[in-house]
Amino acid sequence: MSEGAPVQQEDETEAEEEATGDKPVETGAESVVRALENAGAEYVFGVQGGAIMPVYDALYDSDMNHVTMAHEQGASHAADAYGIVSGEPGVCFATSGPGATNLITGIADANMDSDPMIALTGQVPTNFVGNDAFQETDTVGISQPVTKHSYFADDSDTVGFDVSEAFALAEEGRQGPTLVDLPKDVTQGETDVQPGEPKAPDTYHPPEEADDANVQEAADALAAADRPVILAGGGVIKANASNALRDFAIDYEVPVMTTMPGIGSFPEDHELSLEWAGMHGTGYANMAITNTDCLLAIGTRFDDRLTGGVDSFAPDAEVIHVDIDPAEISKNIHADYPLIGDAKAVLRQLYDAMPAAPDCDEWREQCQTWKAEYPMEYETPDDEPLKPQYVVEKFSEVTPDDTIVTTGVGQHQMWASQFWTYREPRTWVSSHGLGTMGYGVPSAIGAKLAAPDQEVVCFDGDGSFLMTVQGLSVAVRENLDITYVVLNNEAVGMVRQWQDGFYEGRRMASEYPWIPEFDKLAEAFGAQGFRLEDYDDVEETIEAAREYDGPSVIDAIIDPAENVYPMVPSGGDNGLFALNEDHLDQL
Amino acid sequence: MPGPAPDERMRPAGRRNSQGIRIDPEAEATHQPRQAVLSALVKHEPGVLSEVSSLFSRRQFNIESLTVGPTVDHDVARMTIVIEEPDPGVQQAKKQLEKLVPTISVEELEPEATRRELALIKVNGEKPDDVQAVADMYGGQAVDVTTDTVTVELTGSQQKIDAAVEAFQQFDVQEVCRTGTAALERGADTLETDD
Ligand SMILES: Cc1ncc(C[n+]2csc(CCOP(=O)(O)OP(=O)(O)O)c2C)c(N)n1
Ligand SMILES: [Mg+2]
């Protein structure tokens, strides 16, 4: 896709599906399924079990596709990734007790990253609730702190409405996960009440446009700034505001950096792009965010991995904060100009309110100087083990611009975000706020099903891959064309890096004395396996894996000593990012 | 041409305080905690109390008291929450509370709002007349009298109850039960009830 071409999924297509068939529902379970159909859900990721069986039985007659996962954690991550890529809530099912608790990691992950998702869990029959019945857990109690809202369905007549409401709530306003707990007697019970279209709760009123007077003040401040910069968060992508962002930044010539979840909202190969800021962000983004005098931050919650120490975060900047969630305003960083509203709507308002473009040629030059001074570089000595950055970069070069990248959590995740050039929204799918190892394998499954025509590459770590490797069985069964690349350093490398940096090299529980051969493991699952050790084989192996029709796994044996830089130590000053170990020692 | 090392880079002079507010580093301005009363109308349904209390505990808002009770509308309950937080914390607590799905509306009450607390104080009953005299001083009344104990009922502001409990110490206080603050805005002001 060339620059300026329409961004995918940008404008909501009116694809509201007609309710499947007019056959009236007769049970609570049927009304649950009908509510999902009415909402337009196409896929369900889940695992069967006693308390959820009535719902599965109703699914038997539905046109929705069920993907049987190998573990409920995988079901919630797959649904989460489906939600990120499609923009609509991903759906996951689990039974009561262990099924529900296994979902929790993925729900918490979606909550931290504001990903739209709905989880439906079986529950013991209502008259057993509270008696410690077989496979009973307080699922609403456990999940409430990590959802937008959790519902306990207590009536066959209204359970369909609970599901409709939970679906709408997950999608509207600041997106996030919701859960509906479904006691077996409620789903088995008879009803003749037909569920309607998704409708958010009557107490829920997400804002749309920001107050015009506030917008004008913010626009005036930005236009008068000497060193303005835009910080685009994940909210820009969630609001389908990437085009609005591009229009604004390019027409007013304001440099742009993103947060990690905001990757893809602005093309990284554009002259105005500084890529992303934060702990492992680029040196140039961190210099710019430290020295700006006016920060236009959109759809970001100022996470500590972004800000570093608050005392030294953009300390000279007036902050214009655009967010749909009023509670994010001045939560971590004080907003001088709070603009509460939908990112796309507010960006358009700001565009119209700008009296002039900021006069900041010098600042833009300064940003270019920083780009020249702190390039993202690494060395590739032929006689040493493969550098992971090289593998990522080569992949990025040969794949189409709309290729979707998913990851596990650790060093490999950072290399995948640093050395791939992202140009489109919804092509970067990762676990940010929760930092969940194991996110890689199932997220690639959800992403592929949401975008079957796009290539999907998952960069995983050896440690992360082992946490959810069983998901390969699903990718094989569903014949999903996914390329998994394990950047194998035979270690939980990110922990090893911190031990070397901050714990005097005492490598407690961070190196694997023995790990499986992932290419052979892949073959055992029925996927195609490759082993990659030499620079000479990189391009050929990438091609072979991409060409294989179905899931393939490249076990890339990389330099175990490689570390992630730049680095701002936890709570540190972004402007003092370290480029190597010597710098770290100086801090 | 590698760029300057950390200690040689250009650096801004400004600073922010721990609440993310830009400050003059010379005159560090942190907000001091203050007492605030949040009054909330919520849907009267199962799980709401636990949702609210779990919100306050996981976000580490300092609760002094929390009361819940029905209103004239059977579907709506009122919660009165007294917190001790610096200003940004009070705003955060209010906004987080507003975000909960069962929440209909939230206001921070004015400092002059009517605030009352009810207390039952059980003391040694050897000197019932003296107990009665102290109770009178605070506008209270004995509600249960036995040969061993007297239980006094009192209402008033939190400070008044604090003072009364202190005064009753001379009779060897055996048990105290306080309800926490109930409060309403003075005058015609009411909380929004339409969703
Ligand atoms: C579920 C979970 N457990 C533990 C951690 C802590 N942790 C963060 S990164 C990391 C190492 C990951 O190892 P690997 O997947 O091999 O990635 P690498 O850093 O080696 O690239 C660990 C253990 C985590 N983020 N998630
Ligand atoms: Mg590793």
Side-chain angles (χ1 to χ4, degrees), chain B residues 78-109:
Chain B
R78 180 186 291 269
M79 285 193 182
T80 309
I81 306 160
V82 181
I83 56 174
E84 178 91 19
E85 283 288 324
D87 257 318
V90 172
Q91 292 314 313
Q92 243 319 282
K94 175 170 180 273
K95 290 191 280 191
Q96 291 293 346
L97 188 54
E98 277 167 346
K99 254 168 74 163
L100 297 181
V101 168
T103 302
I104 297 163
S105 59
V106 186
E107 288 299 338
E108 184 194 343
L109 298 186

Side-chain angles (χ1 to χ4, degrees), chain A residues 20 108 156 205 258 289 387 391 402 522 537 567 577:
Chain A
T20 353
S156 306
H205 313 284
T258 70
I289 206 162
K387 294 291 181 186
V391 179
D402 66 352
D537 300 331
M567 177 174 196
F577 56 87

Side-chain angles (χ1 to χ4, degrees), chain A residues 310-311 315-316 334, chain B residues 13-31:
Chain A
V310 167
D311 63 326
D316 283 353
H334 177 75
Chain B
R15 278 289 171 267
R16 290 180 188 271
N17 69 13
S18 62
Q19 288 137 0
I21 302 170
R22 275 182 301 145
I23 48 162
D24 177 355
E26 305 287 299
E28 160 90 5
T30 30
H31 291 257

Side-chain angles (χ1 to χ4, degrees), chain A residues 537-548:
Chain A
D537 300 331
V538 171
E539 281 167 52
E540 206 178 301
T541 309
I542 290 176
E543 266 338 287
R546 289 181 63 216
E547 261 163 42
Y548 179 73

Side-chain angles (χ1 to χ4, degrees), chain B residues 15-148:
Chain B
R15 278 289 171 267
R16 290 180 188 271
N17 69 13
S18 62
Q19 288 137 0
I21 302 170
R22 275 182 301 145
I23 48 162
D24 177 355
E26 305 287 299
E28 160 90 5
T30 30
H31 291 257
Q32 291 307 313
R34 65 178 175 89
Q35 201 187 58
V37 181
L38 299 180
S39 186
L41 293 177
V42 299
K43 294 250 165 123
H44 201 178
E45 59 191 25
V48 179
L49 179 57
S50 101
E51 210 177 323
V52 171
S53 60
S54 130
L55 167 73
F56 277 74
S57 91
R58 74 174 176 272
R59 291 200 180 264
Q60 297 202 27
F61 298 128
N62 231 334
I63 300 196
E64 296 211 333
S65 74
L66 187 161
T67 69
V68 208
T71 63
V72 281
D73 181 341
H74 289 303
D75 297 329
V76 176
R78 180 186 291 269
M79 285 193 182
T80 309
I81 306 160
V82 181
I83 56 174
E84 178 91 19
E85 283 288 324
D87 257 318
V90 172
Q91 292 314 313
Q92 243 319 282
K94 175 170 180 273
K95 290 191 280 191
Q96 291 293 346
L97 188 54
E98 277 167 346
K99 254 168 74 163
L100 297 181
V101 168
T103 302
I104 297 163
S105 59
V106 186
E107 288 299 338
E108 184 194 343
L109 298 186
E110 300 290 337
E112 63 272 14
T114 309
R115 309 179 187 196
R116 290 290 181 274
E117 185 173 354
L118 183 145
L120 296 172
I121 305 169
K122 186 183 285 184
V123 298
N124 188 307
E126 275 171 19
K127 300 175 188 157
D129 295 343
D130 294 359
V131 171
Q132 186 62 50
V134 175
D136 286 346
M137 262 171 56
Y138 291 96
Q141 55 180 338
V143 288
D144 179 51
V145 182
T146 67
T147 46
D148 298 330

